[in-house]
mmCIF file of all heavy atoms in Angstrom:
data_model
loop_
_atom_site.group_PDB
_atom_site.id
_atom_site.type_symbol
_atom_site.label_atom_id
_atom_site.label_comp_id
_atom_site.label_asym_id
_atom_site.label_seq_id
_atom_site.Cartn_x
_atom_site.Cartn_y
_atom_site.Cartn_z
ATOM 1 N N GLY D 361 82.340 89.363 94.905
ATOM 2 C CA GLY D 361 81.960 90.508 94.097
ATOM 3 C C GLY D 361 81.086 91.472 94.877
ATOM 4 O O GLY D 361 81.039 92.658 94.583
ATOM 5 N N THR D 362 80.383 90.949 95.877
ATOM 6 C CA THR D 362 79.498 91.788 96.686
ATOM 7 C C THR D 362 80.290 92.421 97.832
ATOM 8 O O THR D 362 80.865 91.699 98.646
ATOM 9 C CB THR D 362 78.352 90.940 97.283
ATOM 10 O OG1 THR D 362 77.710 90.234 96.210
ATOM 11 C CG2 THR D 362 77.340 91.808 98.003
ATOM 12 N N PRO D 363 80.328 93.763 97.876
ATOM 13 C CA PRO D 363 81.116 94.419 98.934
ATOM 14 C C PRO D 363 80.626 93.996 100.325
ATOM 15 O O PRO D 363 79.427 93.853 100.549
ATOM 16 C CB PRO D 363 80.851 95.907 98.699
ATOM 17 C CG PRO D 363 80.402 96.014 97.283
ATOM 18 C CD PRO D 363 79.675 94.728 96.994
ATOM 19 N N GLY D 364 81.575 93.779 101.206
ATOM 20 C CA GLY D 364 81.224 93.454 102.596
ATOM 21 C C GLY D 364 81.186 91.964 102.873
ATOM 22 O O GLY D 364 81.295 91.548 104.033
ATOM 23 N N LEU D 365 81.047 91.144 101.842
ATOM 24 C CA LEU D 365 81.009 89.695 102.080
ATOM 25 C C LEU D 365 82.417 89.139 102.298
ATOM 26 O O LEU D 365 83.393 89.671 101.810
ATOM 27 C CB LEU D 365 80.356 88.964 100.912
ATOM 28 C CG LEU D 365 78.841 89.121 100.764
ATOM 29 C CD1 LEU D 365 78.309 88.184 99.674
ATOM 30 C CD2 LEU D 365 78.112 88.832 102.079
ATOM 31 N N GLY D 366 82.458 88.056 103.065
ATOM 32 C CA GLY D 366 83.735 87.350 103.262
ATOM 33 C C GLY D 366 84.688 88.059 104.205
ATOM 34 O O GLY D 366 85.870 87.736 104.258
ATOM 35 N N LYS D 367 84.167 88.974 104.965
ATOM 36 C CA LYS D 367 85.027 89.813 105.800
ATOM 37 C C LYS D 367 85.743 89.019 106.904
ATOM 38 O O LYS D 367 86.784 89.432 107.405
ATOM 39 C CB LYS D 367 84.181 90.918 106.428
ATOM 40 C CG LYS D 367 84.878 92.261 106.448
ATOM 41 C CD LYS D 367 84.018 93.336 107.072
ATOM 42 C CE LYS D 367 84.923 94.432 107.646
ATOM 43 N NZ LYS D 367 84.181 95.441 108.369
ATOM 44 N N GLN D 368 85.125 87.878 107.282
ATOM 45 C CA GLN D 368 85.765 87.063 108.323
ATOM 46 C C GLN D 368 86.416 85.807 107.746
ATOM 47 O O GLN D 368 86.806 84.923 108.492
ATOM 48 C CB GLN D 368 84.722 86.655 109.361
ATOM 49 C CG GLN D 368 84.220 87.827 110.197
ATOM 50 C CD GLN D 368 83.478 87.338 111.407
ATOM 51 O OE1 GLN D 368 82.480 86.624 111.288
ATOM 52 N NE2 GLN D 368 83.964 87.694 112.588
ATOM 53 N N GLU D 369 86.494 85.744 106.424
ATOM 54 C CA GLU D 369 86.998 84.517 105.810
ATOM 55 C C GLU D 369 88.379 84.701 105.175
ATOM 56 O O GLU D 369 88.729 85.788 104.727
ATOM 57 C CB GLU D 369 85.995 84.031 104.735
ATOM 58 C CG GLU D 369 84.635 83.674 105.319
ATOM 59 C CD GLU D 369 83.567 83.437 104.244
ATOM 60 O OE1 GLU D 369 83.915 83.304 103.060
ATOM 61 O OE2 GLU D 369 82.376 83.418 104.597
ATOM 62 N N VAL D 370 89.114 83.618 105.149
ATOM 63 C CA VAL D 370 90.416 83.598 104.458
ATOM 64 C C VAL D 370 90.484 82.353 103.578
ATOM 65 O O VAL D 370 89.805 81.358 103.831
ATOM 66 C CB VAL D 370 91.606 83.560 105.439
ATOM 67 C CG1 VAL D 370 91.726 84.867 106.212
ATOM 68 C CG2 VAL D 370 91.514 82.365 106.387
ATOM 69 N N ARG D 371 91.320 82.437 102.537
ATOM 70 C CA ARG D 371 91.602 81.251 101.731
ATOM 71 C C ARG D 371 93.002 80.755 102.065
ATOM 72 O O ARG D 371 93.950 81.548 102.116
ATOM 73 C CB ARG D 371 91.538 81.564 100.232
ATOM 74 C CG ARG D 371 91.716 80.303 99.378
ATOM 75 C CD ARG D 371 91.979 80.614 97.911
ATOM 76 N NE ARG D 371 93.308 81.165 97.711
ATOM 77 C CZ ARG D 371 93.850 81.423 96.519
ATOM 78 N NH1 ARG D 371 93.154 81.207 95.417
ATOM 79 N NH2 ARG D 371 95.076 81.925 96.415
ATOM 80 N N LEU D 372 93.107 79.445 102.284
ATOM 81 C CA LEU D 372 94.413 78.835 102.534
ATOM 82 C C LEU D 372 94.710 77.844 101.414
ATOM 83 O O LEU D 372 93.916 76.937 101.149
ATOM 84 C CB LEU D 372 94.417 78.099 103.883
ATOM 85 C CG LEU D 372 94.030 78.935 105.120
ATOM 86 C CD1 LEU D 372 92.556 78.757 105.448
ATOM 87 C CD2 LEU D 372 94.898 78.546 106.320
ATOM 88 N N ALA D 373 95.839 78.036 100.752
ATOM 89 C CA ALA D 373 96.267 77.102 99.699
ATOM 90 C C ALA D 373 97.202 76.095 100.350
ATOM 91 O O ALA D 373 98.243 76.482 100.879
ATOM 92 C CB ALA D 373 96.971 77.863 98.584
ATOM 93 N N TYR D 374 96.800 74.807 100.317
ATOM 94 C CA TYR D 374 97.682 73.829 100.979
ATOM 95 C C TYR D 374 98.711 73.294 99.993
ATOM 96 O O TYR D 374 98.723 72.132 99.616
ATOM 97 C CB TYR D 374 96.928 72.718 101.703
ATOM 98 C CG TYR D 374 95.688 72.146 101.062
ATOM 99 C CD1 TYR D 374 95.755 70.966 100.319
ATOM 100 C CD2 TYR D 374 94.452 72.745 101.237
ATOM 101 C CE1 TYR D 374 94.622 70.402 99.758
ATOM 102 C CE2 TYR D 374 93.304 72.189 100.666
ATOM 103 C CZ TYR D 374 93.401 71.028 99.931
ATOM 104 O OH TYR D 374 92.283 70.475 99.368
ATOM 105 N N VAL D 375 99.620 74.213 99.649
ATOM 106 C CA VAL D 375 100.655 73.909 98.660
ATOM 107 C C VAL D 375 102.025 73.726 99.325
ATOM 108 O O VAL D 375 103.049 73.764 98.656
ATOM 109 C CB VAL D 375 100.738 75.037 97.606
ATOM 110 C CG1 VAL D 375 99.503 75.027 96.723
ATOM 111 C CG2 VAL D 375 100.914 76.390 98.275
ATOM 112 N N LEU D 376 102.018 73.543 100.643
ATOM 113 C CA LEU D 376 103.268 73.266 101.359
ATOM 114 C C LEU D 376 103.183 71.863 101.948
ATOM 115 O O LEU D 376 102.094 71.296 102.080
ATOM 116 C CB LEU D 376 103.486 74.292 102.474
ATOM 117 C CG LEU D 376 103.518 75.765 102.054
ATOM 118 C CD1 LEU D 376 103.785 76.656 103.256
ATOM 119 C CD2 LEU D 376 104.570 76.001 100.968
ATOM 120 N N ASN D 377 104.319 71.312 102.305
ATOM 121 C CA ASN D 377 104.292 69.962 102.877
ATOM 122 C C ASN D 377 103.656 69.964 104.276
ATOM 123 O O ASN D 377 103.466 71.026 104.887
ATOM 124 C CB ASN D 377 105.692 69.333 102.877
ATOM 125 C CG ASN D 377 106.651 70.081 103.780
ATOM 126 O OD1 ASN D 377 106.320 70.433 104.912
ATOM 127 N ND2 ASN D 377 107.848 70.351 103.281
ATOM 128 N N GLU D 378 103.327 68.774 104.766
ATOM 129 C CA GLU D 378 102.547 68.696 106.005
ATOM 130 C C GLU D 378 103.249 69.305 107.203
ATOM 131 O O GLU D 378 102.619 69.926 108.065
ATOM 132 C CB GLU D 378 102.183 67.231 106.289
ATOM 133 C CG GLU D 378 101.110 66.749 105.316
ATOM 134 C CD GLU D 378 100.798 65.268 105.464
ATOM 135 O OE1 GLU D 378 100.403 64.861 106.574
ATOM 136 O OE2 GLU D 378 100.956 64.530 104.482
ATOM 137 N N SER D 379 104.540 69.151 107.241
ATOM 138 C CA SER D 379 105.270 69.707 108.366
ATOM 139 C C SER D 379 105.188 71.235 108.347
ATOM 140 O O SER D 379 104.981 71.879 109.388
ATOM 141 C CB SER D 379 106.709 69.173 108.293
ATOM 142 O OG SER D 379 107.590 70.078 108.822
ATOM 143 N N ALA D 380 105.306 71.825 107.183
ATOM 144 C CA ALA D 380 105.190 73.286 107.075
ATOM 145 C C ALA D 380 103.766 73.741 107.382
ATOM 146 O O ALA D 380 103.558 74.764 108.052
ATOM 147 C CB ALA D 380 105.611 73.744 105.680
ATOM 148 N N ILE D 381 102.788 72.977 106.914
ATOM 149 C CA ILE D 381 101.393 73.329 107.204
ATOM 150 C C ILE D 381 101.152 73.293 108.715
ATOM 151 O O ILE D 381 100.518 74.184 109.287
ATOM 152 C CB ILE D 381 100.423 72.357 106.473
ATOM 153 C CG1 ILE D 381 100.426 72.656 104.968
ATOM 154 C CG2 ILE D 381 99.009 72.462 107.046
ATOM 155 C CD1 ILE D 381 99.615 71.676 104.133
ATOM 156 N N ASP D 382 101.693 72.287 109.350
ATOM 157 C CA ASP D 382 101.540 72.164 110.797
ATOM 158 C C ASP D 382 102.118 73.381 111.523
ATOM 159 O O ASP D 382 101.482 73.957 112.398
ATOM 160 C CB ASP D 382 102.248 70.887 111.253
ATOM 161 C CG ASP D 382 101.409 70.102 112.251
ATOM 162 O OD1 ASP D 382 100.153 70.234 112.232
ATOM 163 O OD2 ASP D 382 101.990 69.369 113.062
ATOM 164 N N ARG D 383 103.292 73.770 111.110
ATOM 165 C CA ARG D 383 103.916 74.934 111.755
ATOM 166 C C ARG D 383 103.130 76.209 111.453
ATOM 167 O O ARG D 383 102.958 77.073 112.316
ATOM 168 C CB ARG D 383 105.368 75.071 111.297
ATOM 169 C CG ARG D 383 106.287 73.965 111.847
ATOM 170 C CD ARG D 383 107.766 74.278 111.670
ATOM 171 N NE ARG D 383 108.146 74.432 110.271
ATOM 172 C CZ ARG D 383 108.484 73.417 109.445
ATOM 173 N NH1 ARG D 383 108.483 72.164 109.902
ATOM 174 N NH2 ARG D 383 108.811 73.647 108.200
#
Side-chain angles (χ1 to χ4, degrees):
Chain D
T362 307
L365 288 188
K367 221 180 154 185
Q368 291 194 301
E369 297 170 13
V370 292
R371 185 193 72 174
L372 304 96
Y374 39 97
V375 290
L376 303 182
N377 65 45
E378 287 175 59
S379 150
I381 288 174
D382 224 26
R383 290 194 299 275

